[in-house]
Amino acid sequence: APTVILLSPVNNTISNQSTHSFQFNATDNVFPILSCTLFVNSSSAATNSSASSGEITTLTANITEGVNTWFITCTDGVNNPPGQSEPRLLTTDYTIPDVTVSLTGHNNFVIAPQNINSPYNELHMFFTANELVDWGKQGAIAAIEIINSTGQREDFFFSNLANTSVSKDWDASTGATFAADGAYTIRVTVNDTA
């Protein structure tokens, strides 16, 4: 049976591309031409029926989002049992996280921070981030910022939301008390691993 050595992508590659090139070197002691197939998640994704023994071969395939297991098999001219490479993991994520922000406050979100006794000096914020790929413990990173008109960041009620790990679906809420009147920018970013 042919021997198959994988070259790229390396194991546990994380990518934001949908199309990938898979390089390998297959050798056989007798036959100079081999038929090699790329399998992704146990399904055939690409084939080269004229791969040269001992030379680097590239197969290209579209890969679905998520954690994918891939390997290469090659057969020789007499259809001996195929040679198979070790399996590798390729995680693809080419969809940006979806972030939703909702605000609850008073008076159409016009607040009056100068009057600390006013019921209009607080703003409550609710955030939802959805990620197509479940990154598990790796997580994506969510950051929430409230920036005043001079470019200074404001404090949250719950400061632990400033840099939070997101696995697949994330819901959070926080509030802020503002020190001065003015325009404020609320920025929520979710940065995934790919």
Side-chain angles (χ1 to χ4, degrees):
T3 301
V4 183
I5 305 296
L6 300 180
L7 302 175
S8 69
V10 298
N11 195 28
N12 294 314
T13 293
I14 297 173
S15 170
N16 60 6
Q17 303 297 311
S18 60
T19 302
H20 286 273
S21 295
F22 299 85
Q23 289 191 325
F24 62 96
N25 188 340
T27 57
D28 188 87
N29 293 336
V30 177
F31 295 94
I33 302 298
L34 305 171
S35 180
C36 299
T37 301
L38 164 68
F39 286 87
V40 178
N41 300 325
S42 300
S43 295
S44 173
T47 298
N48 180 339
S49 57
S50 59
S52 296
S53 176
E55 294 186 18
I56 295 173
T57 303
T58 302
L59 294 172
T60 302
N62 289 325
I63 306 299
T64 59
E65 286 189 282
V67 178
N68 299 279
T69 301
W70 68 278
F71 60 90
I72 305 282
T73 63
C74 293
T75 57
D76 57 25
V78 292
N79 289 326
N80 286 326
Q84 181 175 318
S85 70
E86 84 275 9
R88 288 188 177 178
L89 295 178
L90 169 64
T91 301
T92 56
D93 179 9
Y94 39 88
T95 301
I96 61 172
D98 178 33
V99 178
T100 303
V101 178
S102 62
L103 307 173
T104 60
H106 303 283
N107 199 20
N108 294 322
F109 309 120
V110 174
I111 57 175
Q114 293 299 319
N115 181 354
I116 59 172
N117 296 321
S118 169
Y120 305 116
N121 69 348
E122 292 182 359
L123 181 65
H124 296 274
M125 297 160 279
F126 301 90
F127 311 96
T128 301
N130 297 301
E131 172 70 302
L132 186 64
V133 174
D134 187 354
W135 290 101
K137 291 181 181 177
Q138 286 178 308
I141 300 297
I144 305 165
E145 295 178 297
I146 301 172
I147 302 167
N148 65 26
S149 59
T150 64
Q152 300 297 313
R153 291 188 355 204
E154 296 289 326
D155 290 329
F156 297 105
F157 288 163
F158 306 108
S159 61
N160 64 332
L161 293 178
N163 201 15
T164 304
S165 179
V166 177
S167 59
K168 183 164 174 53
D169 298 310
W170 172 69
D171 294 302
S173 62
T174 189
T177 301
F178 299 95
D181 292 341
Y184 291 85
T185 300
I186 298 170
R187 183 181 311 147
V188 178
T189 56
V190 177
N191 212 357
D192 62 21
T193 305

